[in-house]
Amino acid sequence: MSDWQVKYKSSLKDRGTEGILKLREGILLFVPNDPTSDSKLKVLTPNIKSQKYTKEGSKKPAWLNLSNKQGDSHIFEFQNYQDMHACRALITKALAKCEEEQPKKPAAVLTSAEQLSIADLELRFKVLRENIELQRLHKEFVETKVLTEDEFWATRKKLLGKDSIRKSKQQVGLKSMMVSGIKPSTDGRTNRVTFNLTSEIIFQIFAEKPAVRQAFINYVPSKMTEKDFWTKYFRAEYLYSTKNTAVAAAEAAEDEELAVFLKPDEILAQEARQKIRRVDPTLDMEADQGDDYTHLMDHGIQRDGTMDVVEPQNGQFRRSLLQDLNRHAAVVLEGRNIDVDSENTRSVAEALARVKQVSKADGETTKDANQERLARMSRLAEMEDLQAPQNFPLAPLSIKDPRDYFESQQGNVVNEPRGAGTLKRNVHEAYGSLKESILEIRTKGLRDPLIKPEVAFEVFRSLTQTISTAKNIIGKNPRESFLDRLPKSTRDEVLHHWTSIQELLKHFWSSYPITTTYLHTKVGKLKDAMSNSYSQLEAMKESVQSELRHQLSLLVRPMQQALDAAFQHYDADLQRRTAKSARGSAGEANGSV
Amino acid sequence: MATVASKLYSDDVSLLVLLLDTNPLFWSNRSTTFSQFLSHVLAFLNAVLGLNQLNRVVVIATGYCSCDYIYDSSLTLSGNSESGRTGMPALFGSLLEKLEDFIVKDEELIKEQEHDERIASSLLSGSLSMALCYIQRVFRSGHLHPQPRILCLQGSPDGPEQYVAVMNSIFSAQRLMVPIDSCYIGTQNSAFLQQASYITGGVHHAPKQLDGLFQFLTTIFATDLHTRSFVQLPKPVGVDFRASCFCHKKTIDMGYVCSVCLSIFCEHHKKCSTCGSVFGQSKLDGASTVSDKKRKAPDS
């Protein structure tokens, strides 16, 4: 029923107009009874933000208050609470369905080849939100379709990767509590014993008792249903718990499937034996056949703490606490090594069986492994003082000659050739004149006057000029950067151009050599973006004040040079390609003719 | 004694290490003679010593193939020893004597060496290293010491074979926070000195007229480090940052750089000579040959 008789109130004080509230596919429609009134209402379910309702016990009438995203609220008064709850339930269901559909929309925007998970998208948005510069770059390139999302993020994996490492799944281990051994609930009145079975319990049972797992695979669904199987299993458990071995033996004799559950686990025994065989003989431990824990009947403490004398012929129908605990502990330590949907019992069983097969295959000792073990045994068992001296092959120490480094610095020095003889003569003459100078100054003393006043004045003048012009060009503070003198907007623009040109050039140069059409189109788009940047730089240079223009052009010059180099390379490559294709087509034309 | 000394230690006490270029091949064909140059320099040293009682001056001569300490003002305390000579201030008698001895030794060294066909550059790297060693010793002498700086008076052109050593010294000076001032009196530009002053925060100037050298020196290079914070000194407009390649010692603008040790080469090498790392093939060159091969197949 999705039509209700309601009174629509736009606010609490409103008296309310009577009408019919209809809920259809995603739309809530209110049609007033009175055709002349104009309070018809149509609300789209995605727009509903929340709903509030009055409680049943209170004396208030059944009101449902819907508020939508714009902030308006609509109050509907229902005839009874049942209607109101029904309507509310339907609206909740519709809202839930809407919310499911919404996250699918951004996924549809992506191309089919790159399906991103919602978590990845969220991560990207988060990174963009935190880094404004990155956001600007993203806006400039990805939204104008110069670069695709993946190309943009391809070089920034480190930013994304850190978060994803944190979110990596942690493996959940097994419970150390023995859920498979929880006592059932007994109902004295109806004489029924109820066992609860969850997927966790099923997993534990299959992990701890391989015979049960094997029986499950064999019997279900061929011989009996799953329910029957579990009934039989729990009957066996019940029999164990009653400690009535005579009954157990009798029932085992009758029902062969039940007998499977009652006998000791043969598969387990086999595994234990194999493990003992594989123990490293160099381990200083006395291990023998009697040590596998499936045979620890001697200790005799039963599951519920009593100590009983075991009759030999029914000995197999008893299980001791120690056995169960040990087996459970072994399974818990192995951990959860399958990752399968636990709903399907059969698939769980099969997966566990597969894992066991694999581990068995790995553990089987091949001939080589045996040889290895024997060799290791002999090595460890040898006596040191009876051994021959061992000459191990020594790797020679390679210490580099430090002279290599210093001499390589002298290297092959290239110089203008000089006549050797003339050099010597020049040198001697030079030294001679130097010595004469020193002698001269020693005898004559310092020059008098040391410096002529005109010369000094000239020096002062030129220095003053140099310093004042430098101050105009460079700025008062010797360490001040030119960027600080620019107006803020220009400075930001220059810096942004710098990062965006770097990004473009990075993608441009990485696309060469062009091997696919995808790279070809990408390079074309990048080139257009780069010419755009170039013209923007030119415009910026014009726009700035005249005194800063020279410095700005010096600052901007490396960017323009890099762009020029990229353009040159593009043109050269294009020329080469057209030349080659022209040659190729000419060759083909010749060939075809 | 300590308190008296600390009272006298004002902010502007400085230790000036002067690196004097005594390369004969440079001085042999200059209009200004070495004696004129020396008189300017000696007067300048006098002026520096006169600025503050505790100022110290050390002179290191940079020869063609060797360097040596010529003068240390803290060691020569007695002024009477040279009063016999005429005309010369007594303070510098020992300086000149040691300079002469140094030049004689340098000459002998060059006779022993094979004909080193290199540019007539002086051993700047050697004298920079010696200066830095002296300054390091001063730093370790106690917490009351003058503020050191290095003044490099050079006329010879740069020797590219000294590039690595000079850069190492410059970086050590930067680390020690010792500014390297440079006064270049030669004809060409000296990239080493420009870079040195730029990196260490010193002053670089290349005076055009050498007969006013004294005025240049006292105006620009006599200012101590404390005063430089409020005195405007001339700055060069641009700095020549060219490096020289490690294999041929040529000055280059563009080249190959080893990504492990940052050594610079002018041409493609298989292996870095400094650190021994093997270089892969350049991506652009290799790929273009591959695409050429691919293209040729349909033609033929």
Side-chain angles (χ1 to χ4, degrees):
Chain A
M1 276 270 292
S2 32
D3 283 5
W4 301 275
Q5 279 282 4
V6 295
K7 263 201 220 171
Y8 168 62
K9 301 155 94 102
S10 52
S11 70
L12 277 175
K13 296 250 173 47
D14 191 6
R15 246 183 331 128
T17 41
E18 294 204 1
I20 299 181
L21 181 67
K22 302 185 195 175
L23 182 60
R24 296 284 175 265
E25 290 279 338
I27 296 183
L28 201 70
L29 205 59
F30 174 73
V31 180
N33 282 339
D34 187 1
T36 58
S37 98
D38 53 353
S39 52
K40 196 161 168 202
L41 181 67
K42 186 161 127 181
V43 179
L44 293 170
T45 23
N47 277 346
I48 296 178
K49 198 167 65 159
S50 67
Q51 40 182 352
K52 296 191 269 237
Y53 57 95
T54 52
K55 272 217 275 244
E56 266 199 56
S58 69
K59 298 212 188 65
K60 294 205 196 121
W63 283 341
L64 179 64
N65 184 350
L66 295 173
S67 51
N68 67 1
K69 287 191 180 150
Q70 280 88 31
D72 306 329
S73 65
H74 309 286
I75 305 179
F76 297 100
E77 184 174 326
F78 286 83
Q79 286 180 340
N80 52 28
Y81 271 97
Q82 209 177 358
D83 282 348
M84 199 263 288
H85 284 308
C87 177
R88 192 169 58 84
L90 281 176
I91 291 182
T92 322
K93 240 200 311 195
L95 278 177
K97 214 164 32 158
C98 282
E99 276 186 15
E100 257 180 36
E101 283 165 15
Q102 272 199 0
K104 290 195 192 131
K105 283 199 207 125
V109 166
L110 298 169
T111 63
S112 54
E114 306 119 359
Q115 288 291 341
L116 276 182
S117 70
I118 310 297
D120 271 348
L121 262 184
E122 280 177 6
L123 193 55
R124 285 184 183 183
F125 284 141
K126 190 167 121 191
V127 170
L128 279 182
R129 255 205 312 270
E130 288 167 4
N131 189 346
I132 297 183
E133 187 58 46
L134 204 61
Q135 200 177 35
R136 233 177 132 179
L137 275 180
H138 188 264
K139 199 163 67 158
E140 190 178 326
F141 293 133
V142 178
E143 281 162 32
T144 54
K145 301 250 181 298
V146 173
L147 290 173
T148 64
E149 273 277 343
D150 289 315
E151 285 166 5
F152 184 75
W153 289 106
T155 53
R156 295 187 168 89
K157 285 215 166 72
K158 208 170 62 150
L159 288 172
L160 297 175
K162 253 198 311 198
D163 276 358
S164 66
I165 289 172
R166 260 187 275 144
K167 288 188 190 146
S168 68
K169 279 209 253 189
Q170 204 183 15
Q171 263 192 331
V172 180
L174 291 168
K175 281 199 193 139
S176 50
M177 184 172 80
M178 284 181 70
V179 289
S180 52
I182 294 180
K183 286 237 176 344
S185 59
T186 46
D187 197 351
R189 275 190 306 147
T190 54
N191 271 346
R192 290 165 74 111
V193 175
T194 320
F195 284 87
N196 280 333
L197 197 60
T198 65
S199 52
E200 182 74 26
I201 296 177
I202 291 179
F203 182 79
Q204 265 212 2
I205 291 173
F206 281 164
E208 289 179 24
K209 300 180 187 164
V212 172
R213 184 184 70 226
Q214 195 57 41
F216 185 87
I217 292 179
N218 292 341
Y219 294 156
V220 174
S222 50
K223 268 202 185 168
M224 57 170 92
T225 63
E226 195 173 328
K227 192 153 183 268
D228 286 342
F229 179 83
W230 289 119
T231 319
K232 286 228 169 114
Y233 174 76
F234 284 119
R235 175 124 190 96
E237 287 287 312
Y238 179 69
L239 285 173
Y240 268 127
S241 66
T242 55
K243 299 168 301 206
N244 202 336
T245 51
V247 172
E251 290 225 10
E254 280 176 18
D255 190 352
E256 77 171 71
E257 282 114 28
L258 201 59
V260 168
F261 299 133
L262 290 173
K263 345 188 252 219
D265 201 331
E266 189 52 45
I267 300 179
L268 208 54
Q270 202 181 26
E271 275 178 19
R273 277 198 290 275
Q274 268 196 335
K275 264 199 220 162
I276 289 176
R277 268 204 293 272
R278 273 188 279 136
V279 164
D280 193 351
T282 58
L283 210 56
D284 191 7
M285 196 176 94
E286 276 189 26
D288 64 355
Q289 295 284 347
D291 272 351
D292 62 321
Y293 47 78
T294 51
H295 291 132
L296 278 175
M297 294 296 276
D298 327 336
H299 296 243
I301 298 180
Q302 304 306 318
R303 274 304 290 280
D304 47 0
T306 60
M307 278 205 28
D308 265 355
V309 176
V310 173
E311 297 152 44
Q313 79 265 33
N314 294 332
Q316 57 175 327
F317 299 113
R318 292 276 196 169
R319 243 181 17 218
S320 71
L321 178 63
L322 221 54
Q323 276 183 321
D324 289 339
L325 272 181
N326 281 338
R327 178 69 197 146
H328 177 75
V331 166
V332 167
L333 284 176
E334 272 171 20
R336 197 185 288 274
N337 50 5
I338 61 168
D339 203 13
V340 85
D341 178 19
S342 48
E343 290 306 320
N344 190 354
T345 325
R346 189 171 176 84
S347 59
V348 170
E350 283 174 352
L352 275 170
R354 262 202 305 273
V355 167
K356 278 282 177 308
Q357 284 280 43
V358 168
S359 61
K360 199 163 87 153
D362 287 342
E364 266 169 13
T365 51
T366 60
K367 215 154 112 185
D368 294 333
N370 267 335
Q371 286 286 64
E372 240 243 44
R373 287 176 66 225
L374 285 174
R376 210 167 59 219
M377 267 197 311
S378 62
R379 235 192 357 250
L380 280 175
E382 66 197 9
M383 287 175 272
E384 280 170 18
D385 32 351
L386 293 181
Q387 299 304 318
Q390 285 169 336
N391 299 329
F392 292 114
L394 291 170
L397 206 59
S398 82
I399 298 179
K400 279 199 182 167
D401 192 2
R403 281 178 301 193
D404 283 344
Y405 172 74
F406 292 112
E407 273 161 24
S408 72
Q409 298 310 315
Q410 308 301 323
N412 8 348
V413 178
V414 170
N415 248 317
E416 315 95 53
R418 271 196 212 184
T422 46
L423 174 70
K424 262 208 155 158
R425 249 179 295 136
N426 286 348
V427 163
H428 279 301
E429 277 172 23
Y431 274 110
S433 63
L434 210 59
K435 280 187 276 196
E436 272 172 33
S437 300
I438 296 180
L439 203 59
E440 186 190 330
I441 196 174
R442 274 171 100 177
T443 47
K444 287 211 199 126
L446 296 178
R447 266 179 55 176
D448 189 18
L450 189 61
I451 183 167
K452 294 201 190 80
E454 309 85 64
V455 176
F457 183 70
E458 183 60 36
V459 168
F460 269 131
R461 202 188 53 78
S462 65
L463 275 181
T464 319
Q465 201 180 37
T466 320
I467 295 173
S468 53
T469 48
K471 200 164 84 167
N472 280 339
I473 295 176
I474 295 174
K476 293 206 176 100
N477 191 350
R479 289 286 173 183
E480 183 192 85
S481 142
F482 169 68
L483 277 176
D484 298 329
R485 296 181 66 210
L486 284 173
K488 190 168 183 311
S489 59
T490 326
R491 178 164 168 265
D492 289 339
E493 216 183 309
V494 167
L495 290 173
H496 178 69
H497 272 293
W498 183 248
T499 44
S500 58
I501 288 177
Q502 269 190 335
E503 181 76 20
L504 282 173
L505 283 174
K506 200 163 53 173
H507 285 278
F508 178 82
W509 286 112
S510 68
S511 319
Y512 275 96
I514 298 185
T515 44
T516 67
T517 43
Y518 168 72
L519 285 176
H520 194 71
T521 45
K522 180 174 169 193
V523 162
K525 277 193 282 193
L526 286 172
K527 180 181 174 296
D528 294 333
M530 288 196 298
S531 355
N532 210 4
S533 272
Y534 199 93
S535 46
Q536 275 178 354
L537 282 176
E538 291 284 325
M540 192 172 58
K541 275 203 295 189
E542 301 297 316
S543 69
V544 92
Q545 286 172 309
S546 59
E547 66 224 20
L548 303 170
R549 199 167 293 175
H550 175 66
Q551 283 292 316
L552 185 65
S553 58
L554 280 180
L555 199 63
V556 159
R557 198 149 59 108
M559 296 190 238
Q560 289 184 321
Q561 278 176 339
L563 286 176
D564 287 334
F567 289 146
Q568 260 181 5
H569 187 85
Y570 177 80
D571 292 331
D573 193 65
L574 201 61
Q575 254 186 358
R576 227 188 352 207
R577 275 172 188 282
T578 47
K580 275 199 180 147
S581 60
R583 259 190 294 133
S585 59
E588 277 170 20
N590 284 341
S592 64
V593 166
Chain B
M1 194 58 199
T3 45
V4 172
S6 61
K7 269 195 210 150
L8 292 173
Y9 253 96
S10 48
D11 294 336
D12 54 351
V13 177
S14 54
L15 160 68
L16 176 70
V17 182
L18 180 69
L19 307 182
L20 203 61
D21 185 8
T22 59
N23 187 1
L25 298 170
F26 167 69
W27 286 113
S28 56
N29 49 2
R30 304 291 298 167
S31 51
T32 321
T33 64
F34 190 63
S35 58
Q36 287 169 339
F37 170 72
L38 262 187
S39 52
H40 285 288
V41 171
L42 292 177
F44 166 66
L45 289 180
N46 233 350
V48 168
L49 287 172
L51 277 175
N52 190 310
Q53 199 180 3
L54 296 168
N55 273 356
R56 282 159 59 175
V57 168
V58 173
V59 180
I60 299 176
T62 317
Y64 184 68
C65 36
S66 63
C67 316
D68 201 9
Y69 294 98
I70 301 294
Y71 175 73
D72 186 343
S73 66
S74 53
L75 295 179
T76 49
L77 295 169
S78 63
N80 313 336
S81 48
E82 305 302 319
S83 52
R85 315 251 177 193
T86 55
M88 198 54 228
L91 213 49
F92 298 120
S94 60
L95 187 155
L96 291 171
E97 215 178 284
K98 285 218 188 110
L99 186 60
E100 203 171 344
D101 295 337
F102 167 74
I103 290 178
V104 168
K105 261 193 297 187
D106 204 37
E107 191 178 1
E108 274 165 29
L109 274 176
I110 199 176
K111 263 190 261 177
E112 286 164 23
Q113 268 181 17
E114 287 306 308
H115 305 303
D116 233 357
E117 301 207 344
R118 56 164 222 232
I119 301 176
S121 60
S122 47
L123 207 59
L124 178 64
S125 52
S127 49
L128 268 178
S129 317
M130 290 174 89
L132 287 169
C133 287
Y134 187 89
I135 290 173
Q136 179 71 276
R137 196 165 59 136
V138 166
F139 276 143
R140 291 183 191 190
S141 63
H143 66 98
L144 266 186
H145 55 77
Q147 290 175 340
R149 65 181 193 272
I150 299 178
L151 171 59
C152 195
L153 269 181
Q154 181 113 337
S156 330
D158 291 334
E161 69 273 4
Q162 298 178 46
Y163 175 72
V164 177
V166 169
M167 291 313 286
N168 285 342
S169 325
I170 294 173
F171 292 134
S172 322
Q174 186 191 29
R175 200 75 192 285
L176 286 175
M177 293 195 285
V178 169
I180 299 181
D181 302 330
S182 47
C183 184
Y184 186 71
I185 50 185
T187 45
Q188 304 148 332
N189 233 343
S190 164
F192 288 174
L193 292 180
Q194 282 182 14
Q195 290 183 37
S197 300
Y198 180 79
I199 293 173
T200 55
V203 176
H204 173 84
H205 195 75
K208 300 291 179 296
Q209 319 138 270
L210 280 189
D211 45 352
L213 185 63
F214 172 75
Q215 192 60 59
F216 277 111
L217 290 175
T218 45
T219 316
I220 306 172
F221 297 107
T223 47
D224 54 273
L225 300 182
H226 175 73
T227 323
R228 283 182 197 195
S229 53
F230 47 82
V231 163
Q232 292 273 354
L233 294 173
K235 270 177 12 138
V237 184
V239 182
D240 183 359
F241 277 119
R242 280 179 308 166
S244 40
C245 75
F246 283 41
C247 40
H248 304 114
K249 312 297 174 189
K250 302 189 293 219
T251 328
I252 54 173
D253 291 340
M254 261 176 46
Y256 296 83
V257 179
C258 169
S259 50
V260 175
C261 63
L262 298 181
S263 338
I264 303 167
F265 302 102
C266 53
E267 60 192 16
H268 184 68
H269 284 240
K270 285 269 172 0
K271 203 166 84 89
C272 172
S273 56
T274 322
C275 64
S277 41
V278 177
F279 296 141
Q281 206 187 19
S282 159
K283 190 167 135 190
L284 291 174
D285 297 334
S288 59
T289 51
V290 166
S291 62
D292 284 336
K293 282 187 198 139
K294 273 194 186 158
R295 286 278 177 169
K296 281 197 179 113
D299 285 332
S300 60

